[in-house]
């Protein structure tokens, strides 16, 4: 995988001039911030980064090749343009319908209004490089064609980018590469991702519209795993609405997944007692889910359908685990739950989501402290509840009276659990059989399992 870094263009030059810094230093700053943000979101880096300013000689050679093949021309002003009429009806093969050309300045030196720049003559006080056509810099589209051709040659398997890049950027890349390589088809597949929208608005989230939230600020509230699941719940091609509500929905789903995995593991260890398990039903559901996920991902990476299939499997597994009894209920079936947990973990690990960590926000020290306080509170409640349920009395009647006397403690524990639930902290009581070898009390005891916690700013 190759990522091209545009480290010189009109916006960078204009912004660098405003800040009184060099375009190169400003571009390097943005590049490093981008890499840090991608790492924070757990996005794998490409195999190689290629920067425009490091490939100027190759870009010039690429332009010369297009001119030699009769698809571009230079002008007296030092510009080089791609001659779209030389493409005939091949132009527009990606988007189907090509919009008409925008109005051109009266002093334009193009032959045709729809021609686009391969090389731009330098303007006063702009960064430039020497070329056969004079001082200047590359046009926007040519840099990507050159970079991809340097690495992949005359054919590209997959090209990705935002939906707004399909035209004119990717359409122009196709024209340039097929003109240079003299091939019928340069790119085999183009994956265009939808924009992130502010919910309730049709405009995309962007710096220029001042309607954005930075990744660093976002990660103060939600984890990268939550963001990844949020994205997976929509097609990569579709616009996706961002709001606190949609993020909380993704967070809840991830907590459901983590809670199921925890319950299933408790069952496999003999710590969770439930009714007889219909393992034949669960094996069938697992097989069905594996086929459904494979079919969904083979259908243009249909991640919403894949996630739905996984959640349906979890639903069926939970139905079996929720049928709890006070005593062990027949033969246990750890194998099927082991296979289900293994498959679910593999699925989420494949898409970069970890189920090992509790799905909290990216914690600073104060949040980490709050997390520790909640842990201590839950442990204290557990000790109080265990004391309230313990019966050391010699006679059964005395034991009943002891439980009656301690009922206010149990009621206080239940009230605390309800109060914590209002803050997104869930505590489950599970019956755990502890009649192990050497135990003098074979009765099931009630212990507490804190399955999840959620802290919201």
């Amino acid at each position: 995988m190759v990522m091209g870094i545009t480290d010189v263009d009109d916006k960078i030059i204009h912004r660098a001039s405003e800040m009184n810094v060099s375009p190169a230093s400003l571009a390097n700053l943005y590049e490093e911030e981008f890499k840090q943000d991608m790492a924070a979101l757990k996005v794998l880096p490409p195999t190689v980064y290629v920067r425009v300013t490091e490939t100027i000689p190759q870009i010039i050679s690429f332009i010369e090749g297009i001119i030699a093949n009769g698809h571009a021309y230079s002008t007296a002003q030092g510009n080089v343009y791609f001659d779209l009429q030389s493409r005939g009806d091949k132009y527009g093969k990606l988007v189907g319908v090509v919009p008409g050309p925008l109005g051109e300045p009266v002093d334009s030196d193009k032959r045709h209004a729809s021609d686009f720049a391969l090389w731009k003559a330098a303007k006063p006080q702009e960064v430039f490089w020497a070329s056969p056509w004079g001082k200047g810099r590359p046009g926007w589209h040519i840099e990507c064609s050159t970079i991809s051709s340097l690495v992949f040659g005359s054919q590209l398997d997959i090209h990705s980018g935002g939906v707004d890049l399909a035209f004119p950027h990717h359409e122009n890349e196709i024209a340039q590469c097929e003109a240079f390589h003299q091939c019928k088809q340069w790119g085999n597949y183009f994956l265009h991702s939808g924009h992130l929208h502010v919910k309730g608005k049709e405009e995309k989230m962007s710096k220029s519209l001042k309607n954005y939230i930075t990744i660093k600020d976002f990660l103060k509230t939600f984890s990268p795993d939550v963001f990844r699941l949020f994205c997976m719940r929509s097609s990569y091609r579709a616009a996706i609405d961002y709001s606190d509500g949609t993020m909380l929905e993704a967070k809840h789903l991830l907590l459901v997944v983590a809670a199921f995995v925890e319950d299933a593991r408790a069952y496999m260890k003999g710590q969770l007692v439930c009714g007889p398990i219909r393992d034949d039903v669960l094996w069938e559901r697992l097989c069905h889910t594996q086929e459904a996920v494979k079919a969904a991902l083979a259908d243009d990476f249909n991640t919403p359908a894949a996630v739905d299939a996984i959640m349906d499997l979890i639903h069926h597994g939970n139905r079996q685990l929720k049928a709890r009894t006070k005593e062990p209920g027949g033969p246990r079936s750890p194998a099927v739950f082991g296979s289900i947990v293994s498959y679910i973990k593999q699925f989420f690990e494949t898409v970069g989501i970890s189920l090992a960590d509790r799905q909290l926000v990216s914690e600073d020290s104060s949040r980490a402290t709050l997390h520790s306080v909640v842990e201590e509170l839950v442990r204290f409640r557990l000790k109080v509840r265990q004391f309230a349920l313990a019966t050391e009395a010699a006679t059964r009647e005395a034991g009943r009276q002891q439980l009656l006397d301690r009922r206010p403690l149990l009621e206080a524990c239940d009230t605390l659990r309800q109060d914590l639930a209002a803050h997104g902290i869930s505590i489950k009581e599970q019956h755990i059989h502890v009649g192990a070898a050497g135990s003098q009390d074979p009765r099931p005891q009630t212990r507490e399992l804190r399955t999840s916690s959620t802290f919201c700013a």
Side-chain angles (χ1 to χ4, degrees):
M1 180 185 290
V2 175
M3 177 176 287
I5 302 292
T6 300
D7 53 355
V8 59
D9 67 3
D10 293 340
K11 290 182 179 179
I12 293 174
I13 292 171
H14 178 69
R15 182 63 174 155
S17 177
E18 289 181 338
M19 298 173 64
N20 196 28
V21 297
S22 70
S25 61
L26 180 63
N28 184 66
L29 172 66
Y30 286 153
E31 179 183 338
E32 291 307 312
E33 288 184 351
F34 167 76
K35 289 178 180 177
Q36 290 174 15
D37 286 343
M38 292 301 99
L41 291 176
K42 299 165 62 175
V43 177
L44 295 177
T47 310
V48 62
Y49 295 98
V50 183
R51 296 165 192 82
V52 173
T53 57
E54 297 172 352
T55 56
I56 297 298
Q58 293 87 346
I59 291 174
I60 291 173
S61 295
F62 202 90
I63 295 173
E64 289 178 320
I66 296 176
I67 294 174
N69 289 335
H71 294 283
Y73 58 92
S74 60
T75 69
Q77 295 182 21
N79 296 305
V80 180
Y81 296 102
F82 190 94
D83 183 0
L84 269 187
Q85 289 197 1
S86 70
R87 285 282 289 171
D89 58 2
K90 295 178 183 177
Y91 190 71
K93 63 193 303 184
L94 179 63
V95 297
V97 178
V98 179
L102 299 175
E104 289 293 324
V106 293
D107 59 346
S108 173
D109 55 348
K110 294 181 180 181
R111 291 180 185 172
H112 317 106
S114 55
D115 294 347
F116 58 88
L118 303 181
W119 187 262
K120 297 181 177 182
K123 296 178 181 177
Q125 299 181 336
E126 275 192 355
V127 61
F128 64 84
W129 289 265
S131 79
W133 317 287
K135 297 176 180 178
R137 58 186 175 87
W140 174 32
H141 314 297
I142 194 65
E143 61 193 47
C144 296
S145 293
T146 304
I147 287 171
S148 59
S149 295
L150 280 174
V151 180
F152 300 110
S154 62
Q155 192 165 54
L156 183 66
D157 286 326
I158 300 174
H159 197 323
S160 63
V163 65
D164 56 327
L165 297 181
F167 185 87
H169 187 52
H170 290 166
E171 192 71 64
N172 289 352
E173 280 189 70
I174 293 172
Q176 293 167 158
C177 287
E178 293 182 358
F180 178 85
H181 296 295
Q182 298 288 280
C183 60
K184 290 185 177 180
Q185 180 167 304
W186 166 65
N188 292 332
Y189 298 96
F190 283 78
L191 303 183
H192 293 117
S193 57
H195 288 148
L196 189 63
H197 284 207
V198 180
K199 190 165 187 178
K201 299 182 180 180
E202 294 183 0
E203 60 192 25
K204 70 176 182 179
M205 188 181 290
S206 70
K207 275 191 173 182
S208 60
L209 296 175
K210 295 182 171 52
N211 63 351
Y212 66 96
I213 176 174
T214 67
I215 291 173
K216 290 181 178 64
D217 286 341
F218 169 85
L219 290 176
K220 293 177 182 177
T221 307
F222 298 102
S223 75
D225 290 330
V226 171
F227 181 73
R228 296 177 83 84
L229 185 57
F230 161 73
C231 292
M232 289 184 67
R233 296 185 69 206
S234 297
S235 167
Y236 76 91
R237 290 184 178 273
I240 182 171
D241 286 335
Y242 172 88
S243 70
D244 287 345
T246 52
M247 293 308 307
L248 287 171
E249 288 172 8
K251 187 173 187 175
H252 171 73
L253 275 184
L254 212 48
L255 289 172
V256 169
V257 175
F260 168 75
V261 169
E262 195 169 357
D263 286 349
R265 284 174 172 164
Y267 171 82
M268 288 187 285
K269 294 176 183 177
Q271 297 172 339
L272 176 61
V273 176
C274 56
I277 296 295
R278 288 288 309 277
D279 56 348
D280 58 329
V281 173
L282 291 180
W283 282 120
E284 188 276 330
R285 294 309 307 178
L286 175 58
C287 182
H288 172 78
T289 301
Q290 290 171 330
E291 293 174 354
V293 168
K294 184 177 180 180
L297 296 180
D299 180 20
D300 195 23
F301 301 105
N302 188 349
T303 54
V307 171
D308 286 346
I310 293 291
M311 298 310 298
D312 185 62
L313 174 63
I314 289 173
H315 169 72
H316 281 85
N318 272 330
R319 287 179 61 183
Q320 301 274 357
L321 292 176
K322 299 301 183 188
R324 294 173 185 161
T325 60
K326 293 184 179 179
E327 298 291 343
R332 299 178 62 257
S333 306
V336 66
F337 279 104
S339 295
I340 290 174
V341 168
S342 177
Y343 177 71
I344 290 173
K345 280 192 63 181
Q346 181 187 37
F347 172 82
F348 282 105
E349 286 172 0
T350 300
V351 297
I353 295 175
S354 172
L355 300 180
D357 303 323
R358 287 186 173 90
Q359 302 305 319
L360 305 176
V361 301
S362 298
E363 299 174 352
D364 55 21
S365 59
S366 62
R367 291 179 181 276
T369 301
L370 178 59
H371 180 72
S372 298
V373 169
V374 172
E375 292 281 6
E376 290 298 328
L377 179 61
V378 172
R379 277 195 285 270
F380 175 76
R381 178 183 179 277
L382 170 62
K383 290 179 181 178
V384 172
R385 186 174 176 80
Q386 286 177 333
F387 170 78
L389 290 173
T391 54
E392 302 90 356
T395 65
R396 180 173 296 181
E397 186 62 32
R400 288 176 179 170
Q401 185 59 45
Q402 202 170 59
L403 288 175
L404 279 174
D405 293 340
R406 296 176 181 178
R407 178 171 291 178
L409 292 176
L410 291 174
E411 291 173 351
C413 287
D414 289 340
T415 300
L416 176 59
R417 181 179 65 175
Q418 294 167 5
D419 291 342
L420 290 176
H423 296 282
I425 301 169
S426 174
I427 303 176
K428 288 184 180 180
E429 276 90 29
Q430 296 183 346
H431 295 291
I432 302 175
H433 193 268
V434 294
S439 171
Q440 300 302 311
D441 184 2
R443 295 173 301 168
Q445 294 183 4
T446 300
R447 295 184 183 177
E448 292 180 304
L449 177 63
R450 178 166 170 260
T451 59
S452 61
S453 62
T454 305
F455 307 145
C456 296

